[in-house]
Amino acid sequence: MRRAKALLERGRNVALLAVLAVLACAAAPVGAVELKVATIAPDGSHWMQRMRAAADTVAERTSGRVTIKFYPGGVMGNDAQVLRKIRVGQLQGGAFTAGGLASRYGGLNLYGIPLLFRSLDEVDYVRRELDEELLARLEDAGFVGFGFVEGGFANLLSSEPIATVEDLRRKKVWVPDGDEISFLAMQTLGLSPVVLPVTDVLTGLQTGLLDVSFASPVAALVLQWHTRVKYITELPVSYSMGIFALEANAFRRLSSEDQAILREVITDAVTELDRAARADNARAREVLLSSGVQPVHVNAADVEEWRATIEGLYPQLRSRPDVDGPLFDRLLELLAQYRASGESGSH
């Protein structure tokens, strides 16, 4: 009798486990896909909050067939390291700097050419014409982008005031790892750049490895670089932007319905962040100044001389393998058209 009861109890347990297993399978949608995405944006930042909300919407609208798992705060490394992890399937995407993804499509280098833009009005004019083409060509190169988020104009950040090229020649100036165009521009200006990934800049400023970095006000605050500098030079050194992108094969593994949902939701989130970025940078600049960082003005004649020097590099830049030459020509045509219209200003 005892043996019969034991066998009956064991049978009940097996049956219960079988039921639970069936329920568990039913709870996980067939063919569910988890997209793992890395970013240097800190957890809790505005970017992460908005993108997590978008990920929740994607999961809800796909009934759990598509989920997005974020790795914030640079835990997966810099852009180059993230790309390597995507290549081996450890990740499926990332929030990149445009230059950080330029190794996959060189057109993403164009907006960041030093001293290319003179105003945000010029940026808006060019972006209206070229953003969609950049995204289409990036997709041809193997990454699906969902739009760009303005980083804004990067300014020089330093422990001593920087008003001239001569001031820079006595300093250790940061250049992002992989940004060969900025490296070339600095060499042409007679500077000695120090190459480091973004994730190492704060340490470089703390240890004296770097004297000068450059970033938009928002980036300077988010990355805490403002805690190690005293001055911000009022010169738009280069225009920066970010891009949320997924490896194309991972995206194409989704059903056409889920692809459409993902495109719609993430594009909406990225567009919202892009529209808010300019006001965010204005507020961040005020925070920088209120924290004790002092503005430094540069002589307009000096700036024109610097621009002329870098413009002399354009033929060389156009022929580089990491630059989309025809699109560079189109960009310069757009700038010439805008400047000829007499509308170019600064803000």
Side-chain angles (χ1 to χ4, degrees):
M1 179 65 86
R2 285 200 199 115
R3 186 178 178 188
K5 286 184 178 180
L7 289 172
L8 180 60
E9 187 64 27
R10 185 182 303 171
R12 286 173 179 165
N13 289 339
V14 170
L16 179 60
L17 289 174
V19 170
L20 290 175
V22 169
L23 290 174
C25 290
V30 175
V33 175
E34 181 181 63
L35 300 171
K36 298 176 181 177
V37 176
T39 174
I40 64 170
D43 209 1
S45 65
H46 180 216
W47 192 95
M48 278 303 311
Q49 290 172 359
R50 184 63 187 88
M51 295 310 296
R52 284 195 192 281
D56 289 343
T57 300
V58 168
E60 179 182 351
R61 288 186 54 185
T62 62
S63 300
R65 293 186 302 274
V66 182
T67 58
I68 304 174
K69 181 176 182 178
F70 289 100
Y71 294 87
V75 296
M76 286 291 179
N78 57 38
D79 286 342
Q81 291 168 323
V82 169
L83 284 172
R84 285 195 290 271
K85 289 171 181 176
I86 289 174
R87 192 179 303 119
V88 299
Q90 186 178 350
L91 296 169
Q92 285 72 52
F96 301 92
T97 61
L101 201 51
S103 62
R104 296 298 182 270
Y105 169 53
L108 297 179
N109 273 324
L110 295 177
Y111 289 175
I113 292 174
L115 301 179
L116 174 69
F117 294 109
R118 300 175 185 175
S119 71
L120 288 170
D121 294 320
E122 291 187 348
V123 169
D124 292 342
Y125 184 77
V126 169
R127 285 193 56 185
R128 279 194 297 270
E129 297 294 327
L130 295 188
D131 272 13
E132 289 303 318
E133 190 166 356
L134 285 171
L135 291 171
R137 295 191 184 191
L138 176 63
E139 190 157 341
D140 290 340
F143 275 82
V144 177
F146 300 84
F148 301 107
V149 177
E150 177 170 280
F153 279 130
N155 300 99
L156 296 175
L157 303 164
S158 55
S159 54
E160 296 181 14
I162 303 294
T164 68
V165 171
E166 289 302 318
D167 294 333
L168 283 171
R169 288 194 178 113
R170 298 192 299 271
K171 301 293 185 291
K172 291 166 283 188
V173 186
W174 172 61
V175 169
D177 185 23
D179 188 350
E180 296 185 18
I181 292 176
S182 291
F183 186 90
L184 178 61
M186 288 195 184
Q187 282 190 321
T188 303
L189 289 169
L191 308 179
S192 300
V194 177
V195 178
L196 285 175
V198 173
T199 47
D200 291 350
V201 172
L202 181 59
T203 301
L205 292 170
Q206 291 170 332
T207 60
L209 179 61
L210 294 174
D211 298 313
V212 181
S213 62
F214 60 93
S216 67
V218 163
L221 284 177
V222 169
L223 299 173
Q224 297 292 298
W225 296 357
H226 72 294
T227 63
R228 308 306 304 178
V229 300
K230 298 179 181 178
Y231 299 93
I232 179 170
T233 301
E234 302 281 55
L235 172 69
V237 176
S238 62
Y239 179 75
S240 62
M241 61 184 186
I243 178 171
F244 181 101
L246 295 173
E247 196 271 330
N249 288 332
F251 179 77
R252 290 167 188 154
R253 281 195 287 269
L254 307 179
S255 69
S256 57
E257 177 189 358
D258 289 345
Q259 287 180 24
I261 291 171
L262 188 63
R263 277 193 191 273
E264 177 192 341
V265 174
I266 300 301
T267 298
D268 285 350
V270 168
T271 301
E272 180 183 316
L273 288 167
D274 185 46
R275 288 173 179 163
R278 201 157 293 179
D280 290 344
N281 260 315
R283 286 190 292 269
R285 182 181 181 279
E286 294 305 314
V287 173
L288 285 180
L289 298 181
S290 66
S291 72
V293 177
Q294 300 178 43
V296 178
H297 300 284
V298 295
N299 184 287
D302 287 340
V303 174
E304 289 308 311
E305 182 180 346
W306 301 351
R307 283 200 174 104
T309 300
I310 292 175
E311 286 170 6
L313 285 173
Y314 285 178
Q316 182 178 346
L317 293 181
R318 190 196 180 285
S319 64
R320 290 176 60 92
D322 56 352
V323 169
D324 185 328
L327 203 64
F328 189 19
D329 293 340
R330 174 70 178 137
L331 189 159
L332 294 179
E333 288 173 5
L334 289 168
L335 284 177
Q337 290 170 12
Y338 187 74
R339 290 166 186 171
S341 73
E343 297 178 9
S344 186
S346 62
H347 61 80

